[in-house]
Amino acid sequence: EVQLVESGGGLVKPGGSLRLSCAASGFTFSQAAMSWVRQAPGKGLEWVGRIKKKSDDGTAVYAAPVQGRFTISRDDSENTLYLQMNSLKTEDTAVYYCTTYRGYMDVWGKGTTVTVSS
Amino acid sequence: DFVMTQSPDSLAVSLGERATINCKSSQSVLSSSNNKNFLAWYQQKPGQPPKLLISWASTRESGVPDRFSGSGSGTDFTLTISSLQAEDVAVYYCQEYYATPFTFGQGTKLEIK
């Protein structure tokens, strides 16, 4: 069964940092492009960024609101995707979803909640 | 950046009746290289992550009931549920994947009348 399990969410103060993880199973992780999508409380979906598979150059692209603050990386040996979030703002409060990515997002994890508050 | 606008914002339909959700893109999502529309539809039930229903504007995902269908091309798209079931209560989102940053519509909340 294809599965994505996010972890690492929590409460952090503005200006703080957090690293989210996404453990993948049931498919060949190294052959998959991946992305992060977030959803603020009571709001719609917002694409955060995506990372290509290493054989396609492995580069990451980000949405403007997180560019320069967030970094997506992957460890194919551990089948894990990461989202390093620095200089967090209150508006980053959201559920963060890890997804497989083919342009559209076909498999989604259940999400992990990040709350940025003083 | 693309702007995706869904209509209506909310919709109440009787069980067994047809539900129609529209999505308009600020720019065409039709690729001239492969003649495909880079448009997806998702369903999000309360307390759950989104689920991909349709890609390429009209290709239903495996396991998605055939009462769900997608249509349209260029800038105007429609998600149709031919006969509404109780389990279809959800928020539905369209998303373009023609170019980054990939943009979602604001969502359409579907309820039972």
Side-chain angles (χ1 to χ4, degrees):
Chain A
E1 180 196 2
V2 175
Q3 195 170 15
L4 299 171
V5 179
E6 302 93 337
S7 61
L11 174 63
V12 61
K13 288 181 167 50
S17 297
L18 210 55
R19 188 178 82 157
L20 306 184
S21 300
C22 170
S25 60
F27 64 101
T28 306
F29 180 74
S30 62
Q31 294 304 304
M34 302 293 294
S35 74
W36 289 94
V37 176
R38 68 184 181 182
Q39 186 169 35
K43 301 297 185 184
L45 302 171
E46 181 184 22
W47 178 78
V48 172
R50 68 99 177 111
I51 187 166
K52 290 184 176 181
K53 55 187 180 181
K54 284 192 167 59
S55 59
D56 284 343
D57 80 18
T59 55
V61 178
Y62 304 92
V66 308
Q67 177 74 47
R69 300 187 299 122
F70 289 14
T71 302
I72 299 174
S73 62
R74 60 190 300 157
D75 184 339
D76 290 346
S77 67
E78 295 290 334
N79 292 338
T80 302
L81 179 73
Y82 298 102
L83 180 64
Q84 176 67 45
M85 303 185 295
N86 299 330
S87 303
L88 282 160
K89 305 176 181 181
T90 55
E91 52 264 39
D92 295 320
T93 293
V95 175
Y96 284 74
Y97 296 103
C98 163
T99 87
T100 56
Y101 159 83
R102 300 174 193 266
Y104 52 88
M105 283 64 127
D106 50 344
V107 179
W108 296 64
K110 290 188 184 335
T112 187
T113 299
V114 172
T115 303
V116 184
S117 174
S118 54
Chain B
D1 296 358
F2 285 71
V3 177
M4 308 299 288
T5 304
Q6 292 181 226
S7 61
D9 290 333
S10 63
L11 181 62
V13 174
S14 300
L15 290 173
E17 295 300 305
R18 177 185 301 260
T20 302
I21 298 170
N22 301 301
C23 175
K24 187 173 184 65
S25 174
S26 60
Q27 304 172 56
S28 176
V29 300
L30 176 62
S31 170
S32 57
S33 63
N34 63 4
N35 201 37
K36 288 188 172 186
N37 288 282
F38 285 59
L39 190 285
W41 288 97
Y42 302 86
Q43 174 193 64
Q44 187 176 31
K45 296 182 179 181
Q48 296 185 19
K51 173 188 174 183
L52 176 67
L53 295 177
I54 288 171
S55 59
W56 305 113
S58 60
T59 301
R60 221 174 13 251
E61 285 297 290
S62 174
V64 173
D66 61 7
R67 63 180 181 273
F68 290 90
S69 64
S71 63
S73 185
T75 60
D76 292 280
F77 300 89
T78 300
L79 175 69
T80 302
I81 307 172
S82 60
S83 176
L84 189 70
Q85 305 299 303
E87 61 265 33
D88 300 335
V89 168
V91 179
Y92 292 84
Y93 296 92
C94 62
Q95 177 233 334
E96 64 80 19
Y97 49 100
Y98 187 90
T100 58
F102 303 127
T103 310
F104 292 88
Q106 80 277 18
T108 295
K109 187 174 184 179
L110 177 58
E111 299 173 313
I112 305 294
K113 186 186 292 184

